[in-house]
Amino acid sequence: NAGVTQTPKFQVLKTGQSMTLQCAQDMNHEYMSWYRQDPGMGLRLIHYSVGAGITDQGEVPNGYNVSRSTTEDFPLRLLSAAPSQTSVYFCASRPPPGGSTEAFFGQGTRLTVV
Amino acid sequence: AQSVTQLGSHVSVSEGALVLLRCNYSSSVPPYLFWYVQYPNQGLQLLLKYTSAATLVKGINGFEAEFKKSETSFHLTKPSAHMSDAAEYFCAVSDGGATNKLIFGTGTLLAVQP
């Protein structure tokens, strides 16, 4: 099993460009989430999904879109990149029932918006 | 809404000394609590978790944490620090409800001095 795979690992964008951060898991987990990590702020939840076709907003959803068409994939789209979106992004998945189960994390995508 | 507070964004200990990293939580329902560790330029990995089975939880690498409901705390300890323990540590809470969101604290960076 590869676990949670994120691509790309590094990305530089210009302000206003759009891009998609990819996340795939091969563990058949129902729950998937996207976080951003910024110095001194820990990990903040952007969007999450409790199953294919079901997504919802987390703490900091503005400027990001998600969709979940399959159990395996949970891409994060930046519609019009801004310097404030410079961050390290982590995707995570959890098996059911979710509450008491640990989250498995990808290695992260380091995004710089110039 | 659930939240966690980690007291002390930076903690420095000498090798062989006690490690104590503090975490207090807020939750309207019995919580599930987690400690994760992040080594430089890596994703997060689980150290230990509390799921109501036992208040004293033992994790990997000699770490343990005690759930104290009266103090709403879940502090992480290790009797004797090793150089390899230098990393960032995150406390997280999940309510196990329909959303199963996992909410993180702001993290504590542990430095171990020789």
Side-chain angles (χ1 to χ4, degrees), chain A residues 31 35 37 40-43 45 48 50 59 90 94 97-103 105-107 110, chain B residues 32 34 36 38 41-44 46 49 51 88 90 94 96 98-106:
Chain A
Y31 303 103
Y35 294 87
Q37 182 178 18
M41 305 191 76
L43 277 79
L45 183 63
Y48 63 99
V50 298
E59 303 167 89
F90 287 99
R94 301 170 78 186
S100 62
T101 57
E102 70 171 286
F105 284 82
Q107 291 298 296
R110 187 174 297 272
Chain B
Y32 299 109
F34 304 80
Y36 285 83
Q38 184 183 35
N41 300 312
Q42 294 189 22
L44 280 73
L46 183 71
K49 64 180 182 181
T51 59
E88 191 157 21
F90 293 93
S94 175
T99 67
N100 284 304
K101 289 191 289 186
L102 186 61
I103 303 300
F104 285 84
T106 53

Side-chain angles (χ1 to χ4, degrees), chain B residues 6 24 33 53-55 79:
Chain B
Q6 292 184 241
N24 289 88
L33 294 160
T55 57

